[in-house]
Amino acid sequence: MTYSPKDLELARRQVTIDRQMICAQQSLIDGMLTRGEPAGLANERLVKLTEDLRKHCFHQDLIQASIRLER
């Protein structure tokens, strides 16, 4: 598949969004734990967000490598 710099920019934005969501989720969990609330579901969501970030980072790297090879 041929990727463009625009594809790479979109992938980078998604990684940035993922990182922001992870930070927000970690803050939510910290608050829940401080209040003594159960955070099991929030922790499960954090695991899912982390998995998504890993996938999106891989995709970003794939696009970047593909663009480099085309040069």
Side-chain angles (χ1 to χ4, degrees), residues 28-61:
L28 175 70
I29 291 168
D30 290 345
M32 292 173 78
L33 294 174
T34 299
R35 293 185 299 274
E37 299 171 353
L41 292 176
N43 277 318
E44 288 178 24
R45 176 77 174 136
L46 180 60
V47 169
K48 172 75 170 95
L49 290 171
T50 303
E51 289 172 358
D52 289 348
L53 173 60
R54 223 175 290 135
K55 290 174 190 174
H56 291 143
C57 284
F58 177 80
H59 189 237
Q60 174 187 302
D61 292 345

Side-chain angles (χ1 to χ4, degrees), residues 2 6 18 26 39:
T2 302
K6 188 174 184 176
D18 288 348
Q26 286 173 331

Side-chain angles (χ1 to χ4, degrees), residues 4-13 60 63-64 67:
S4 70
K6 188 174 184 176
D7 295 319
L8 181 57
E9 179 57 33
L10 288 172
R12 286 180 175 155
R13 272 193 258 154
Q60 174 187 302
I63 293 171
Q64 194 168 20
I67 290 172

